[in-house]
Amino acid sequence: MGNTVLIIVGVILIAGTLGFLLAKLLEKNNASQIVSNAKKEAANIVKEAKSEGESIKKDKILQAKEKFIELKSEHEKVILSRDKKINDAEKRTRDKESQVSSELAKNKKLNKEIDIKIKDYDDRLEYLDKRQSDVDKLHASKVQQLEVISGLSADDAKEQLVESLKDQAKSDAMAFIQNAMEEAKLTAEQDAKKVIINTIQRIGTEEAVENCVSVFNLESDDVKGRIIGREGRNIRAIEAATGVEIIVDDTPEAIILSCFDSVRREVARLSLHKLVTDGRIHPARIEEVVQKTTKQIEQEIVEVGKRTVIDLGIHGLHPELIKAVGRMKYRSSYGQNLLQHSREVAKLCATMAAELGINPKLAKRAGLLHDIGKVPETESEMPHALLGMEWAEKYGEKPDVCNAIGAHHDEIEMKTLLAPIVQVCDAISGARPGARRQVLDSYIQRLKDLEDIAFGFAGVKKAYAIQAGRELRVIVESEKVNDEKAAALSFEISQKIQTDMTYPGQVKITVIRETRAVNIAK
C-alpha cells in the first residue's frame, strides 16, 4: 500500500516536471515566433518609412523647384517693368531734349529777326530826327519871313487870332444857349405834366380814411349780456387785456370797439369773435384768447408783408423789411392807411420811372419802402425818412434806394433821379381828394403821448388811453407798487399831464393794481 502511494507520488512529480518542461518549451517557441513576427513587422515599417520619406523628399524638392521658378518669373517681371520705365524715361528725356533744341533754334531765329527790326527802327528814327530838324529850320525861316512881311511877331499874331476866335465863339455859344433855354422852357413843363398825368391816369385806387372805431356784429342781443358778464367782469377783463374801449349801447346786434391803435382794435375784434364762437366767456379764458390772438396778429403781419412784395414783384427783400411792410397795414398817415399809400407810391414810381427811362423795379422798391420809418416798435426822435434810410442801409438795400428814402422830405441831398420820383409820387398819393385827414393824425399822436407819460413812471406794466383821450387806464405791477403808491402814482401822472400836455376837457387817470396767487394741483 505504501509503495503504491510512493509510485503515484512519483508519477505525479514526473508528470508535473514533464508538464513544466513542456510549458517552458512551448513558451519559448511562442516567444521566438513573436520576436520573429515583430522583426518582420519592424522591417516592413522601416521599409515603408523609407519609401514614404523618399516620396516626401521628392515632393519637397519639386515644390522648391516650382517656388524657385515662380520667384524667378516674378523677379524677371519686375526687372522687365523697371527696364520699361527706364526706357520710357529715356524716351521722354530724348523728346524733351529734342523739343528744347527746337525751341532754342526758334528763339535764336526770333532774336535774329528782332535785332534786324531794332536796327531798322533805329535807322528810321535817325532819319525822322534829321527830317524833323530840317522841318523846324524851315518853319523858323518861314515865321521870320512872315514877321518881316506883316510887321508882327508870331506871339502877337497868335494872340490877335485867339482873341478874335474867342469873341466869335462866345457870341455863338450865347446864341445857342439862349435858343436851347427857350426851347426847354417851352417843352419841359409840357413834358413834365404829360408824364405826371399819364402816371396818375394809369393808377386807379380807392381811398378810405382810417377811423378809430370798429363795429362788431352779433347774431343776437343775448350775446351782449354774456360779453358784459356778471357785474361787468367780462367786459372789464377784455378792456384790461386789450386796451380797447368796448361800447355796448342800444344798437341792435352790434357793439362798438373804440381805440386809436388799429392793432389793439384788431386783436380785440378777433378775440371777441373767438370767444363768442366758442361760447366760454370768463376772465381766465379772455386772457388766454387775447394772448393767442396777439401772436396770430404778429404772424399775420409777416404774411401781409410777404403777400405785398409778391404782388408788387419785388424780390430779395430782407425779412425784417418784409415785417416792417406788413406792420404798415396797422399804421396810418394823416388818416391814410400806410400800406395802401406805400403800395400806391410803389406803382406810381414804377410807372413814372418807365416813362423817364429809369429802372422801374428799383423805383418800385424805393416807393414801397419810403415810409418804413413810420412803423418803429420803439419811439425815435429821428425823422421817419432818415430812420427808414438807416433801416434800408442796415438790411442791405442799394445806395440809390437808401438815398430816395432819406431824401423824399428833403432831409438830405438828392443824389439820383430816383429820389425826386419818390418825392413826387408820395405827394401825388397824399394829394388825392379825401386821401388824408390831418386831424386824425394829431388826435392819435395826443393819445400816444398820454400813454408815453404813464410809461415814464416806474412799476407801470400797461397803459391805455380810452374814452377818446378823456381817460387813462394804468395797470401796475403789484410786486413793485402797493396800494399807497398806486394812489400817489395816479396823482403824479395827473400832474405830469397837466404840465406837459395841452388837451381839451379833463383826463381821468385810473390806476389798477391786481394781486394773484397761483398754484398748480398735481
Side-chain angles (χ1 to χ4, degrees), residues 23 27 68 106 166 195 199 242 323 403 425 432 494 510:
E27 184 179 353
F68 175 75
K106 288 181 181 178
K166 188 185 296 184
V195 170
T199 304
T242 61
K323 191 184 295 183
N403 179 255
C425 293
R432 291 176 182 272
S494 66
T510 304

Side-chain angles (χ1 to χ4, degrees), residues 216-220 222-228 238 255 268-282 285-286 289:
F216 182 74
N217 297 313
L218 303 172
E219 294 181 357
S220 64
D222 297 337
V223 183
K224 289 184 179 180
R226 293 166 57 195
I227 291 174
I228 296 171
I238 296 172
I255 60 175
R269 187 186 69 79
L270 293 176
S271 300
L272 274 176
H273 178 72
K274 292 179 181 179
L275 290 168
V276 170
T277 304
D278 185 40
R280 294 177 294 166
I281 306 177
H282 53 82
R285 176 66 177 162
I286 288 168
V289 170

Side-chain angles (χ1 to χ4, degrees), residues 302-372:
V302 177
E303 292 299 323
V304 168
K306 290 181 179 178
R307 286 199 302 270
T308 301
V309 297
I310 290 173
D311 291 344
L312 294 176
I314 296 173
H315 304 286
L317 206 62
H318 193 278
E320 288 298 325
L321 294 180
I322 292 176
K323 191 184 295 183
V325 170
R327 205 176 291 123
M328 288 181 184
K329 180 181 178 182
Y330 299 102
R331 295 287 187 276
S332 61
S333 177
Y334 298 103
Q336 186 180 23
N337 183 271
L338 196 57
L339 180 60
Q340 296 299 328
H341 166 64
S342 298
R343 289 173 64 102
E344 183 178 357
V345 171
K347 293 178 180 178
L348 287 168
C349 288
T351 305
M352 190 173 291
E355 291 285 342
L356 297 174
I358 302 172
N359 187 348
K361 292 185 177 180
L362 208 61
K364 187 185 293 184
R365 197 181 192 97
L368 178 65
L369 299 177
H370 81 284
D371 268 348
I372 57 172

Side-chain angles (χ1 to χ4, degrees), residues 64 131-132 190 215 218 229 242 269 293 301 325 329 376 417 437 460 472 474 476 481 502 508:
R131 293 289 297 173
Q132 182 68 36
Q190 183 179 359
V215 178
L218 303 172
T242 61
R269 187 186 69 79
T293 305
I301 285 172
V325 170
K329 180 181 178 182
L417 287 176
R437 188 170 63 195
V460 176
L472 180 63
V474 182
V476 298
V481 180
T502 302
K508 177 183 177 183

Side-chain angles (χ1 to χ4, degrees), residues 47-215:
K47 187 177 180 182
E48 290 177 358
K50 288 181 177 180
S51 176
E52 187 175 354
E54 290 294 333
S55 177
I56 292 171
K57 182 179 178 182
K58 290 179 180 179
D59 291 339
K60 292 297 181 181
I61 292 171
L62 185 59
Q63 290 177 2
K65 289 181 178 180
E66 291 176 352
K67 186 68 175 179
F68 175 75
I69 294 170
E70 184 179 352
L71 292 173
K72 184 179 178 183
S73 176
E74 291 179 358
H75 184 64
E76 289 176 351
K77 288 181 180 178
V78 171
I79 291 172
L80 289 174
S81 175
R82 194 174 297 169
D83 291 342
K84 186 178 180 182
K85 290 181 180 178
I86 292 171
N87 292 331
D88 293 340
E90 290 177 352
K91 184 179 179 182
R92 287 196 298 271
T93 304
R94 288 194 298 271
D95 293 341
K96 289 288 184 181
E97 290 177 354
S98 176
Q99 186 177 358
V100 169
S101 299
S102 61
E103 291 291 336
L104 286 173
K106 288 181 181 178
N107 289 334
K108 287 180 180 179
K109 185 177 180 181
L110 288 174
N111 289 334
K112 188 175 180 180
E113 292 176 355
I114 289 171
D115 291 338
I116 294 172
K117 288 182 178 180
I118 290 172
K119 186 178 179 181
D120 186 26
Y121 291 151
D122 290 339
D123 295 340
R124 290 185 181 184
L125 285 174
E126 186 178 355
Y127 176 75
L128 289 174
D129 289 339
K130 187 182 292 185
R131 293 289 297 173
Q132 182 68 36
S133 177
D134 295 341
V135 169
D136 291 340
K137 289 179 181 179
L138 182 62
H139 179 265
S141 64
K142 293 295 182 182
V143 169
Q144 289 177 357
Q145 291 176 7
L146 288 173
E147 288 177 352
V148 172
I149 294 171
S150 63
L152 294 173
S153 66
D155 293 336
D156 294 337
K158 188 187 298 182
E159 186 176 353
Q160 289 183 6
L161 179 61
V162 168
E163 288 296 329
S164 63
L165 291 175
K166 188 185 296 184
D167 293 338
Q168 183 179 357
K170 280 184 179 180
S171 60
D172 293 343
M174 290 297 295
F176 177 77
I177 292 172
Q178 188 69 26
N179 293 332
M181 289 179 65
E182 291 178 358
E183 185 179 356
K185 286 179 181 178
L186 291 174
T187 60
E189 187 175 356
Q190 183 179 359
D191 291 341
K193 288 180 179 179
K194 180 180 178 182
V195 170
I196 293 173
I197 291 171
N198 287 338
T199 304
I200 295 173
Q201 287 178 340
R202 290 171 63 180
I203 303 295
T205 58
E206 297 180 0
E207 298 295 342
V209 177
E210 294 281 293
N211 52 42
C212 293
V213 296
S214 297
V215 178

Side-chain angles (χ1 to χ4, degrees), residues 502-522:
T502 302
Y503 53 91
Q506 297 178 344
V507 179
K508 177 183 177 183
I509 293 91
T510 304
V511 176
I512 300 172
R513 178 178 179 271
E514 182 182 27
T515 303
R516 295 187 184 185
V518 180
N519 286 290
I520 299 173
K522 296 183 180 179

Side-chain angles (χ1 to χ4, degrees), residues 475-522:
I475 301 172
V476 298
E477 300 179 15
S478 59
E479 297 84 0
K480 297 181 179 179
V481 180
N482 55 26
D483 290 338
E484 286 110 3
K485 286 185 179 179
L489 182 64
S490 177
F491 176 75
E492 290 174 2
I493 292 175
S494 66
Q495 295 301 310
K496 183 76 172 175
I497 292 173
Q498 286 180 11
T499 57
D500 292 359
M501 291 190 65
T502 302
Y503 53 91
Q506 297 178 344
V507 179
K508 177 183 177 183
I509 293 91
T510 304
V511 176
I512 300 172
R513 178 178 179 271
E514 182 182 27
T515 303
R516 295 187 184 185
V518 180
N519 286 290
I520 299 173
K522 296 183 180 179

